[in-house]
Amino acid sequence: MIHVTGPRRARLHEELAKESRRHLAAYVLFNQAVADHLGLHPTDIQALSLLTAESEPLTVRQLADVTGLTTGSATRLVDRLEREGYVTRTPDLRDRRRVLVTPVPERIARVTAVWDDLGPGWQALLDDHTEDELEVIIRHMRRAHDLGHEQMRLLRSRPKPE
């Protein structure tokens, strides 16, 4: 792939950086609004999203890894979700030393109902894109996901600023 440099590309990078910040801030605030609406913590909403995106239940350690939380924080998160009925802890039949965090479908339906109500608006954002453009967006989102996790690990390995 050829990357042309010049004033137009520099302007596009600057505009993309600005719009990315605006998008991320809007999404964080939207996530907070969904959490408030459901009486949950924003991290709980994201953890439920990640748990339901997986094909199999996760351990607390795996949940900590995908969220970037410490195992202690992930344990407290699972405690909250279990208390509210969103997840159960079930023994791993393949390894009895492990406990799996399993979403409770009936309770997850509360969250899904919010998304079902709001989803058409989000879907409409993609409706005017070609299939090739959608593939570019998907590739970008996957790469941004991976980079975000790399950056989280990097930040957590550094001492906090004074």
Side-chain angles (χ1 to χ4, degrees):
M1 186 178 289
I2 299 173
H3 293 287
V4 179
T5 59
R8 179 171 184 250
R9 186 169 184 90
R11 182 186 55 73
L12 288 171
H13 273 264
E14 185 178 316
E15 185 176 348
L16 183 57
K18 180 180 82 173
E19 293 305 323
S20 291
R21 287 192 315 272
R22 288 168 35 101
H23 163 72
L24 290 172
Y27 189 82
V28 167
L29 296 170
F30 169 73
N31 185 66
Q32 178 70 58
V34 171
D36 291 347
H37 180 74
L38 293 169
L40 294 170
H41 188 278
T43 305
D44 298 349
I45 294 291
Q46 292 307 307
L48 289 171
S49 178
L50 292 168
L51 282 168
T52 57
E54 296 295 326
S55 58
E56 296 185 11
L58 300 177
T59 65
V60 172
R61 171 85 235 155
Q62 291 169 321
L63 186 58
D65 289 343
V66 298
T67 59
L69 295 171
T70 65
T71 52
S73 292
T75 298
R76 288 187 295 281
L77 179 145
V78 171
D79 290 344
R80 282 193 311 271
L81 292 175
E82 187 176 42
R83 226 178 4 260
E84 295 293 323
Y86 286 95
V87 301
T88 59
R89 287 179 167 104
T90 57
D92 184 342
L93 299 177
R94 291 176 283 184
D95 183 347
R96 293 178 126 351
R97 297 168 296 176
R98 294 176 5 143
V99 174
L100 300 173
V101 179
T102 305
V104 176
E106 298 80 23
R107 195 68 168 148
I108 296 297
R110 282 184 81 221
V111 181
T112 305
V114 173
W115 281 109
D116 288 348
D117 185 39
L118 302 173
W122 293 101
Q123 183 62 40
L125 289 175
L126 302 173
D127 285 347
D128 65 344
H129 288 286
T130 66
E131 290 175 2
D132 288 342
E133 290 171 330
L134 292 173
E135 287 176 352
V136 169
I137 294 168
I138 291 167
R139 186 174 68 241
H140 170 78
M141 297 299 282
R142 285 183 180 144
R143 291 173 66 196
H145 168 270
D146 293 345
L147 179 61
H149 279 277
E150 286 176 32
Q151 298 292 347
M152 280 191 302
R153 282 190 288 280
L154 178 65
L155 280 173
R156 283 182 169 74
S157 71
R158 293 180 177 171
K160 291 186 180 358
E162 307 230 356

